[in-house]
Amino acid sequence: MKREPLSFKQTVYLLILFIIGSTIILPVGTEAKQDIWAAVLLAIVMTLPVVLVYARILSLYPERNLLEINEQILGKVVGRFINFLFAFYAFTLCALVLDNFGQFINVTAIPETPLAIPMLILCLLALWATKEGLEVIARSGEVYLPIIVFVATFTFLFLTPNLNINRLQPSLYQNSGGIVSAALHLFSFPFAETVIFTIIIYCTNKTKAMAKVYLAGLLIGGGIILLSVTSVMAVIGPERYQASYFPAYLAVQTINVGDFLQRVEVVVFLIAIFAGFIKISLCFFAACKGLSNALGCKEYRFLTVPLGLLEFLFASNLFNSTKQMAQWASEVYLYFAFPFQVALPMVIWILGEVKRRGRQGSPEVDLHDELR
Amino acid sequence: MTKVTPTGLRRNICTNRLTAAADKKSPQVGRNFNCALGSNIKVIQKILQNDGLVIYRKIRLDTNPFRACYVIYVDGMVNSDLLNENILRHLLIFNFGDRRQAPKMSFSDVLMNRVLSTGNVQTEKVIDSAIQSLLYGNVLVLVDGIPFAFVIDAKGWEIRSISEPETERVVRGPREGFIENLITNLTMIRRKMINPALKMVFRDIGTRTRTKICIIYIEGIARPEIIQEVYRRLDKVQLDGILEPEYIIEFIRDAPLSPYETIGTTERPDTAVGKLLEGRIVIMVDGSPFAITLPYLFLEYFQANKDYYDSFLYSSANRLLRYISFFLTTSTPAIYVALVNFHQEMIPTRLLISIASAKEGVPFPAAIEAFIMLMAFQLLREAGVRLPSPVGQAVSIVGALILGEAAVTAKIISAPMVIVVALTGISGFLVPEMPGVSFFLSLFFLFSSSFIGFFGYIFAVIAVTIHMTSLRSFGLPYLSNLTSIHGKELKDTVVRAPWWWMTYRPRLLSRDKRRLADPGRPEP
Amino acid sequence: MPSFQNRQELVNELEYHYFIFLLFSIFGIVEAIQLYHQKQRKELTIYLFLLLPGLVITVYTATQVGLPSIAEELGSWFGWMSQ
């Protein structure tokens, strides 16, 4: 089957939506307290070299995604095993995001309905989108991002009367440990999660400069996160930020324009579902792709239904309460994600560079032969 | 008008007999004319037996020795003035014996060059093809000793006069619409586009009706891949009868089960030419005043031809209004139900109290109420469309005023719900081309939001987006030119920019992208 | 009344688990038949190998009340989370 490459714009849109994803609803970087903006900046700076490594890996082997590159570099057996691990990571990440959104919808809007219902629907939607293919996800992203930007702009405008700059002070005052720890958490969630994209996209003529794609996505997405968490912090202050499971929701709750436009938080966070859906489908897509590669199948689409069921079961039995979810995110996720986000890509990159040096003699001919 | 019915009938049905004969593999099929006139006529009469409309006129030509000649035509399908003056009269009075009039010419050349004084005369050797053109309204002339037939184009039958189409009225703009005659329709297009690049390719389609269709495109603007794809798909249409463009549309469209139209129709020549100029392809079917335009993108639901005839500010406002009304017609019931059932905190307190008091005593939950009212509205609409207009108005008055009022007073339906459904219905009329889609969408959204409120609504929106982004129309993404926020493409999507600013045609559709040679604000 | 509450929850859980079971069974049967007809034996094996355990787990979770979550289990194995 002919693969249709995504355009530069689509890829950047997807990256932005992926980074916004569930970050916008969850309490991120709580340790940094009022210095959260510094933590976000630090996290972005920390992520820059890592995403450049991702981009480099993809640029080394044009027209191939990480899965195929792994097979190429590490050999069939080891490569497929590594791919299986990546598929597992994508699967877990998908379940986590699914769980985040399930909890969010359940807690904020419909406490009477069982938690699993919104999760099931989201899972089915992601399943359908994955079955339709990456192009559909990408074009949905093109539809959603303008809507998100539009609504976010208005929300921000309406929030401005409630911003209290005093809540961000004292800034950078004896809190360096907190900032670094928060930045580490922000690094692993959401910024370095973009490692999933190495499974999804590949270097083509259209997206020649992989580094450009990654940098644009990271900087714009990071900018949006910076703006949102800082304003949320300025509206509700560090104490309530830390105490709440969904701080942004609390912040938007304070909007009150002329006693008429109030309690609009549900509408605002409906829009966050768009970003969440994109993140879930991308992770699910990556999981299907990874698993099909690990099992040596050409096509991934037949995996969507059984994997979707497992995904749903995994997500719905992952945590019993929102508290567990928050705890897990703050205590375990960093260590769980580290190998996939940093260690494995570094190893693959170094091996790839070494291999590339080795075949420097006639690289072009080699590549073309393999493509045929 | 009286003549139209039998003629139209025979044009559709008469060829059946021919194919029926062909099906039986009768010995005449594929046979050529021979020199003996009597046997030729017998063969034709055998094929066309029991067909009272065919007229055989025998003439003895003024030659030495006498030669017999047959003029065959279908009654009512030829222009009798032309037939009498330019064919029969000349055949009757021409002095074939006079060699001075035709020195050193064969007999058939004499007929061709001296006698038959009409524009389009061809010769035809094969009997079947000759009969085919006879039944399409041509005159056949068979002469003894000549092994072929003269096929003379003298078509002329009663047609409806050109009038403004009922379905697409405009305040400003041309008032002509297509009619049922293919050639007349093509001339209407040709008159608007005096350029040799306008190509019109004819095809016969429908194994029994052999309906003529015409594929129209502008060379250099339309993309060749799309034209090839159209030919490829048209080849697959093996239906026996084509009476209306929809017969073809359902064969050649992408996503045949989707409620969204991926092929458009129009009844106006100006719209058709406008689409051609955007790089689209138009297909006209004989016997129907509707032209097919393709590829058809979602955006085109919102582009009306009157947008281009009114001032650009007013048109842009209208277009925005259409987008908003699309949102309203699909989402109002769903949003109302979600607000009332799940998110009461979002309604200002006073409004909430008045809604609650209106709902007091109403037996149904809001979702059921909305469903009943939407159904009732669709019933009234359909009844109004089908009935003649005075009765239709009566129906809508009875339905809207009396039924609605009575239902509210009798506490069957709450008053806010009537407002909601009225808003849904009225805004649906602003995008008239998509009644089916907006009705399905409003039901789907209502259904999902009645379960889990706004989140159900948004899940439904996501589902619809997945479906729409997976659609394509002849290779083009259905949502293309709409989802992108490019300055270039915004000019004819969300708004309608002034003509001097629309430098480029829609992306992806056309080969030659530039439509304005020298862009710039006019400076008088 | 806690017991009543529990029963109510159980009914709810049963309801949607039943729905999920039905939905994925139908999907599964349709797609498995498709794969069978396309003679993709390897794919079919993988498909069933993934789907059937999923359905079994669905039934199992539907009939149990108060199962510990996966995170709890893992936490107790590795001593991650302080309970």
Side-chain angles (χ1 to χ4, degrees):
Chain A
M1 213 182 118
K2 199 180 137 237
R3 291 200 290 190
E4 281 193 46
L6 303 185
S7 69
F8 177 82
K9 201 178 80 183
Q10 284 175 327
T11 322
V12 174
Y13 273 30
L14 284 184
L15 263 167
I16 297 170
L17 285 165
F18 187 89
I19 289 174
I20 295 175
S22 47
T23 323
I24 208 101
I25 57 169
L26 290 177
V28 286
T30 41
E31 297 92 331
K33 299 211 173 70
Q34 66 273 27
D35 297 325
I36 191 154
W37 52 272
V40 175
L41 283 178
L42 186 60
I44 293 174
V45 171
M46 281 160 67
T47 322
L48 282 178
V50 180
V51 295
L52 287 177
V53 167
Y54 301 161
R56 179 68 188 157
I57 295 173
L58 289 175
S59 307
L60 280 178
Y61 294 87
E63 302 280 341
R64 277 153 200 249
N65 58 31
L66 184 72
L67 306 170
E68 291 152 334
I69 294 171
N70 279 348
E71 269 190 70
Q72 183 96 19
I73 295 178
L74 304 167
K76 225 165 196 173
V77 180
V78 184
R80 282 188 177 171
F81 179 68
I82 299 292
N83 289 345
F84 180 76
L85 290 183
F86 271 107
F88 174 70
Y89 174 61
F91 184 77
T92 320
L93 185 57
C94 181
L96 286 172
V97 182
L98 208 51
D99 198 72
N100 292 342
F101 274 93
Q103 302 269 9
F104 174 71
I105 294 170
N106 185 257
V107 168
T108 55
I110 40 171
E112 310 88 30
T113 318
L115 168 67
I117 299 290
M119 274 160 73
L120 175 68
I121 299 172
L122 266 174
C123 190
L124 287 176
L125 287 173
L127 192 158
W128 182 17
T130 307
K131 233 185 167 56
E132 292 282 358
L134 183 59
E135 220 193 331
V136 165
I137 304 176
R139 272 203 241 105
S140 310
E142 273 188 296
V143 179
Y144 298 148
L145 192 63
I147 302 177
I148 292 178
V149 169
F150 181 77
V151 172
T153 314
F154 272 91
T155 315
F156 188 72
L157 283 180
F158 291 144
L159 262 182
T160 35
N162 306 342
L163 290 177
N164 186 351
I165 208 74
N166 291 334
R167 299 214 169 95
L168 295 178
Q169 278 162 350
S171 65
L172 301 178
Y173 178 73
Q174 288 186 344
N175 192 17
S176 52
I179 292 176
V180 170
S181 145
L184 273 174
H185 277 110
L186 276 162
F187 168 78
S188 71
F189 168 75
F191 295 123
E193 280 174 358
T194 47
V195 69
I196 295 289
F197 269 74
T198 53
I199 302 176
I200 296 163
I201 56 177
Y202 47 94
C203 193
T204 60
N205 294 338
K206 275 188 182 171
T207 53
K208 208 160 218 161
M210 251 10 250
K212 224 164 108 189
V213 172
Y214 257 112
L215 286 184
L218 177 68
L219 292 180
I220 299 173
I224 293 173
I225 296 294
L226 178 67
L227 199 65
S228 84
V229 290
T230 315
S231 48
V232 166
M233 187 61 90
V235 170
I236 63 174
E239 290 80 24
R240 284 178 71 197
Y241 190 97
Q242 220 160 359
S244 153
Y245 290 128
F246 306 111
Y249 191 80
L250 277 186
V252 178
Q253 238 169 13
T254 63
I255 287 181
N256 184 352
V257 181
D259 278 337
F260 183 78
L261 197 67
Q262 48 181 326
R263 307 295 307 271
V264 290
E265 66 276 1
V266 174
V267 175
V268 171
F269 282 98
L270 282 182
I271 306 304
I273 305 283
F274 284 147
F277 161 72
I278 294 288
K279 189 167 181 177
I280 292 166
S281 344
L282 285 176
C283 293
F284 188 63
F285 179 83
C288 288
K289 270 241 144 154
L291 189 62
S292 75
N293 181 288
L295 296 172
C297 306
K298 287 191 191 93
E299 183 55 37
Y300 70 91
R301 283 189 169 83
F302 77 98
L303 280 171
T304 48
V305 168
L307 212 57
L309 176 59
L310 290 178
E311 184 78 71
F312 166 73
L313 291 170
F314 187 46
S316 61
N317 293 313
L318 197 50
F319 305 116
N320 271 350
S321 64
T322 320
K323 180 162 165 275
Q324 266 181 15
M325 181 182 90
Q327 220 175 3
W328 205 82
S330 66
E331 287 172 25
V332 185
Y333 182 70
L334 183 60
Y335 309 104
F336 166 71
F338 183 79
F340 302 103
Q341 291 175 345
V342 184
L344 279 174
M346 287 294 165
V347 172
I348 293 164
W349 172 51
I350 292 165
L351 286 177
E353 290 283 359
V354 169
K355 275 227 163 172
R356 190 187 151 89
R357 291 280 144 76
R359 56 153 206 211
Q360 203 83 49
S362 56
E364 286 309 306
V365 180
D366 241 346
L367 202 63
H368 278 281
D369 281 349
E370 281 154 12
L371 280 177
R372 287 289 132 78
Chain B
M1 282 306 282
T2 45
K3 251 173 149 183
V4 169
T5 325
T7 317
L9 258 181
R10 67 157 307 109
R11 284 176 58 227
N12 282 329
I13 295 165
C14 208
T15 36
N16 287 5
R17 217 160 292 141
L18 181 63
T19 9
D23 288 346
K24 279 186 222 145
K25 300 258 185 295
S26 57
Q28 291 90 359
V29 173
R31 235 171 80 173
N32 290 352
F33 287 107
N34 58 23
C35 283
L37 178 65
S39 76
N40 287 341
I41 293 296
K42 269 203 189 98
V43 171
I44 293 178
Q45 278 175 337
K46 178 115 195 286
I47 294 175
L48 294 176
Q49 73 193 114
N50 295 339
D51 194 337
L53 272 178
V54 183
I55 298 205
Y56 306 86
R57 168 80 156 90
K58 189 174 182 183
I59 299 171
R60 285 173 65 178
L61 298 179
D62 183 18
T63 50
N64 192 18
F66 286 125
R67 277 186 203 235
C69 159
Y70 266 96
V71 175
I72 312 171
Y73 61 95
V74 178
D75 196 11
M77 288 183 75
V78 295
N79 182 341
S80 42
D81 283 349
L82 197 72
L83 178 72
N84 293 340
E85 288 298 317
N86 295 343
I87 302 171
L88 289 178
R89 185 182 152 90
H90 287 196
L91 285 172
L92 288 170
I93 66 169
F94 190 81
N95 184 3
F96 289 91
D98 188 355
R99 297 303 295 176
R100 277 174 309 173
Q101 292 213 26
K104 292 175 187 161
M105 271 186 176
S106 71
F107 189 70
S108 58
D109 280 350
V110 173
L111 276 174
M112 196 72 154
N113 295 317
R114 291 286 185 272
V115 181
L116 299 171
S117 59
T118 55
N120 187 354
V121 182
Q122 276 158 354
T123 58
E124 179 59 65
K125 283 200 180 77
V126 183
I127 295 182
D128 268 348
S129 319
I131 289 178
Q132 185 78 46
S133 38
L134 169 71
L135 294 176
Y136 191 54
N138 292 315
V139 177
L140 292 190
V141 174
L142 288 169
V143 184
D144 201 9
I146 297 178
F148 48 78
F150 294 94
V151 178
I152 303 161
D153 184 4
K155 290 193 229 24
W157 50 77
E158 293 291 322
I159 50 174
R160 184 166 67 95
S161 63
I162 296 173
S163 58
E164 185 171 18
E166 291 283 320
T167 51
E168 298 167 73
R169 286 178 181 279
V170 291
V171 180
R172 259 172 72 182
R175 300 245 184 270
E176 59 177 5
F178 287 131
I179 57 167
E180 283 77 4
N181 185 339
L182 179 63
I183 303 295
T184 317
N185 293 344
L186 295 182
T187 57
M188 277 191 253
I189 291 178
R190 173 60 85 184
R191 281 207 305 273
K192 286 186 192 299
M193 175 86 199
I194 304 156
N195 189 329
L198 178 71
K199 303 293 178 197
M200 296 175 168
V201 182
F202 282 92
R203 285 241 168 157
D204 284 354
I205 210 162
T207 49
R208 276 175 199 279
T209 55
R210 307 233 176 142
T211 312
K212 285 235 183 300
I213 65 166
C214 184
I215 301 138
I216 311 162
Y217 59 91
I218 299 178
E219 202 172 56
I221 299 183
R223 277 171 57 181
E225 312 93 88
I226 298 179
I227 300 171
Q228 289 311 314
E229 181 65 21
V230 170
Y231 286 147
R232 198 182 63 76
R233 293 192 192 178
L234 281 175
D235 283 341
K236 283 194 197 155
V237 183
Q238 294 295 335
L239 195 65
D240 64 344
I242 307 288
L243 303 180
E244 224 275 335
E246 184 67 21
Y247 288 50
I248 298 177
I249 289 176
E250 292 192 359
F251 274 101
I252 65 173
R253 65 177 288 193
D254 304 65
L257 299 179
S258 167
Y260 289 96
E261 304 285 345
T262 50
I263 285 180
T265 56
T266 180
E267 214 181 334
R268 301 184 60 96
D270 50 325
T271 310
V273 176
K275 304 273 185 204
L276 283 172
L277 281 170
E278 284 180 350
R280 292 190 166 84
I281 296 165
V282 172
I283 302 176
M284 299 247 27
V285 178
D286 196 9
S288 167
F290 284 92
I292 301 173
T293 66
L294 54 90
Y296 187 79
L297 306 178
F298 183 61
L299 180 67
E300 287 173 68
Y301 278 127
F302 302 100
Q303 292 173 325
N305 57 351
K306 64 176 181 221
D307 287 355
Y308 302 102
Y309 304 148
D310 285 323
S311 113
F312 73 94
L313 281 174
Y314 178 61
S315 316
S316 301
N318 266 340
R319 202 172 271 182
L320 280 177
L321 214 57
R322 258 174 251 141
Y323 285 107
I324 294 169
S325 71
F326 173 65
F327 170 72
L328 286 179
T329 190
T330 51
S331 308
T332 326
I335 289 176
Y336 176 75
V337 168
L339 277 176
V340 170
N341 281 359
F342 292 91
H343 309 283
Q344 285 111 344
E345 77 275 2
M346 283 181 66
I347 312 176
T349 319
R350 278 189 206 164
L351 187 58
L352 184 63
I353 290 169
S354 70
I355 290 175
S357 66
K359 270 187 72 69
E360 185 135 33
V362 175
F364 305 113
I368 303 288
E369 244 183 294
F371 180 73
I372 293 172
M373 285 302 282
L374 280 177
M375 279 305 184
F377 182 83
Q378 290 299 323
L379 283 177
L380 286 173
R381 190 190 56 80
E382 192 61 21
V385 169
R386 293 276 167 270
L387 290 172
S389 55
V391 189
Q393 276 173 9
V395 166
S396 42
I397 289 170
V398 169
L401 292 178
I402 302 176
L403 256 178
E405 181 66 37
V408 170
T409 342
K411 294 268 178 202
I412 293 173
I413 302 293
S414 65
M417 187 55 80
V418 176
I419 300 173
V420 163
V421 173
L423 188 63
T424 312
I426 296 293
S427 34
F429 288 126
L430 262 79
V431 269
E433 279 98 39
M434 51 193 318
V437 175
S438 46
F439 180 56
F440 289 143
L441 283 184
S442 65
L443 280 190
F444 179 47
F445 289 163
L446 175 66
F447 178 77
S448 43
S449 83
S450 62
F451 279 107
I452 41 177
F454 269 136
F455 287 98
Y457 170 69
I458 216 74
F459 290 147
V461 170
I462 291 176
V464 170
T465 330
I466 296 175
H467 175 61
M468 281 172 70
T469 45
S470 70
L471 282 180
R472 276 171 176 273
S473 175
F474 286 84
L476 300 191
Y478 195 49
L479 286 179
S480 57
N481 297 341
L482 186 65
T483 58
S484 50
I485 353 175
H486 248 289
K488 245 188 227 170
E489 281 134 30
L490 270 184
K491 285 180 192 170
D492 197 18
T493 54
V494 181
V495 295
R496 202 279 279 177
W499 274 111
W500 44 263
W501 204 29
M502 282 198 275
T503 324
Y504 296 100
R505 277 178 240 289
R507 191 175 56 123
L508 295 175
L509 260 174
S510 46
R511 206 164 67 164
D512 175 21
K513 303 237 180 316
R514 205 176 183 87
R515 72 167 137 202
L516 191 61
D518 178 28
R521 190 191 306 219
E523 284 163 36
Chain C
M1 274 181 275
S3 61
F4 175 75
Q5 197 79 26
N6 270 344
R7 181 172 294 172
Q8 195 66 22
E9 263 176 23
L10 179 66
V11 168
N12 248 332
E13 296 257 313
L14 263 180
E15 266 171 6
Y16 77 77
H17 276 103
Y18 177 69
F19 173 70
I20 293 162
F21 183 79
L22 207 67
L23 188 73
F24 279 94
S25 309
I26 292 168
F27 275 170
I29 291 168
V30 170
E31 295 209 320
I33 289 173
Q34 250 173 17
L35 286 173
Y36 180 79
H37 279 298
Q38 289 164 0
K39 304 232 182 301
Q40 293 175 308
R41 288 300 149 83
K42 184 181 167 193
E43 276 81 358
L44 184 62
T45 322
I46 297 170
Y47 190 89
L48 294 177
F49 187 75
L50 288 172
L51 187 71
L52 293 178
L55 291 175
V56 172
I57 296 171
T58 315
V59 176
Y60 178 73
T61 46
T63 49
Q64 302 291 311
V65 183
L67 277 176
S69 69
I70 295 172
E72 272 174 1
E73 286 286 311
L74 289 176
S76 65
W77 286 358
F78 295 102
W80 278 339
M81 274 187 287
S82 43
Q83 288 298 317

